[in-house]
Amino acid sequence: MRLFCQLLVRLKTGFLKWKPDYDSAASEYGKAAVAFKNAKQFEQAKDACLREAVAHENNRALFHAAKAYEQAGMMLKEMQKLPEAVQLIEKASMMYLENGTPDTAAMALERAGKLIENVDPEKAVQLYQQTANVFENEERLRQAVELLGKASRLLVRGRRFDEAALSIQKEKNIYKEIENYPTCYKKTIAQVLVHLHRNDYVAAERCVRESYSIPGFNGSEDCAALEQLLEGYDQQDQDQVSEVCNSPLFKYMDNDYAKLGLSLVVPGGGIKKKPAATPQATPEGTTAAPAEEEEDEYAGGLC
């Protein structure tokens, strides 16, 4: 309480003091926030961080204001108030962008996504996509595609397949741009699995056909497996589909896509291949010839 009284004095104006001392006030609020945090008094720490942020804003120090808002969000995280925490971190990221520090903004958004992922996956997807956009605008494509991958997997996990298909396509385009062709092949597999779970065979086939233009895809084991998968799906051959989806190529993909493969069912339940009949052996070890049809004793009539 004494500290807050001292801070209010710093912000007062008078006959000889025309401008509040926002810089000193922000510094003292920051010290108070640390003290409250160390004492596990997170509510008071959050309030001190917010006051620090406002003081920095009034002093036109956007970067430091953003830092304070982000710290206030982390205090809310300690209090298990995750949606409110994310809201403050998003505000901080916008201020980082306004300040001209997009990398810091992207890291803050990614941190917010991780906080909320298990509570609100839909919000996490939005945050990861925002982060990817920031990185993409800065031409940091590898970081952008990594965040898009997180968003795609969350969309698949939530069975939001239409959005997942678009997200994976964007990943694939970036991997193609940075000439990471083997990962393009894996993204094609992911696309096909998503489209087949959408019951859209035409879109799945088109994905494979368009991927022939990617260097090295035609003739790769990924291409051969996908052609076999589509053939089995088209012919409603569940055995063939299951054989492909249980292969190491599919089973060792990211867990969310591996699960799509293992749960893939052809339309109508599919057909099962019947095992070939094993011919019976005679006691001497020779194979018995098929038994001839029994002669009908009435074939010539009763007379």
Side-chain angles (χ1 to χ4, degrees), residues 32 60 65 97 101 122 136 169 193 199 201 213 220 235 253 271 274 278 300:
R60 298 181 181 179
L97 286 173
T101 49
E122 186 172 348
E136 194 170 0
Q169 181 62 50
L193 289 171
N199 298 316
Y201 175 85
S213 64
S220 67
Q235 295 179 359
M253 293 180 69
I271 58 173
K274 295 181 180 180
T278 305

Side-chain angles (χ1 to χ4, degrees), residues 62-293:
L62 286 183
F63 183 84
H64 296 296
K67 276 288 182 188
Y69 278 123
E70 192 175 354
Q71 281 302 307
M74 298 312 290
M75 295 306 100
L76 285 166
K77 174 216 169 191
E78 295 293 340
M79 298 158 62
Q80 298 302 309
K81 296 181 178 180
L82 297 182
E84 295 92 332
V86 166
Q87 191 174 6
L88 282 179
I89 297 173
E90 280 189 281
K91 182 174 183 176
S93 73
M94 294 302 294
M95 296 181 78
Y96 287 133
L97 286 173
E98 190 177 346
N99 183 66
T101 49
D103 286 359
T104 313
M107 288 188 287
L109 286 170
E110 183 179 3
R111 194 175 298 118
K114 288 178 181 176
L115 282 183
I116 204 73
E117 186 174 308
N118 293 326
V119 177
D120 188 351
E122 186 172 348
K123 181 64 176 177
V125 167
Q126 178 191 333
L127 290 165
Y128 289 145
Q129 289 173 336
Q130 284 179 319
T131 311
N133 287 337
V134 173
F135 279 131
E136 194 170 0
N137 289 337
E138 293 301 304
E139 297 185 352
R140 296 179 59 180
L141 297 183
R142 284 178 173 80
Q143 288 87 344
V145 78
E146 182 181 341
L147 272 297
L148 281 173
K150 289 184 177 183
S152 298
R153 290 190 292 274
L154 280 177
L155 289 168
V156 167
R157 205 173 302 165
R159 304 192 74 77
R160 294 161 60 185
F161 293 132
D162 290 351
E163 296 168 80
L166 294 174
S167 183
I168 296 169
Q169 181 62 50
K170 191 167 185 180
E171 283 185 77
K172 188 172 165 183
N173 291 342
I174 293 178
Y175 279 120
K176 189 174 181 180
E177 187 175 345
I178 62 178
E179 299 183 354
N180 186 342
Y181 300 129
T183 304
C184 288
Y185 310 162
K186 299 295 180 281
K187 294 304 170 182
T188 303
I189 294 176
Q191 274 185 304
V192 167
L193 289 171
V194 166
H195 283 310
L196 292 181
H197 273 273
R198 293 175 61 239
N199 298 316
D200 192 343
Y201 175 85
V202 173
E205 188 181 37
R206 185 171 61 247
C207 278
V208 176
R209 191 168 59 249
E210 289 174 352
S211 294
Y212 289 140
S213 64
I214 300 172
F217 177 74
N218 193 11
S220 67
E221 63 172 340
D222 306 78
C223 178
L226 285 172
E227 289 173 345
Q228 188 180 358
L229 175 65
L230 289 175
E231 179 187 53
Y233 191 91
D234 187 41
Q235 295 179 359
Q236 298 186 356
D237 187 340
Q238 184 65 51
D239 281 348
Q240 183 168 328
V241 167
S242 297
E243 183 181 350
V244 175
C245 291
N246 276 284
S247 67
L249 185 64
F250 280 65
K251 286 176 70 175
Y252 297 130
M253 293 180 69
D254 285 324
N255 196 41
D256 293 296
Y257 300 123
K259 286 181 178 178
L260 284 187
L262 294 174
S263 61
L264 184 61
V265 178
V266 300
I271 58 173
K272 293 284 185 179
K273 294 177 182 176
K274 295 181 180 180
T278 305
Q280 295 181 348
T282 60
E284 289 77 11
T286 57
T287 302
E292 296 181 0
E293 292 183 4

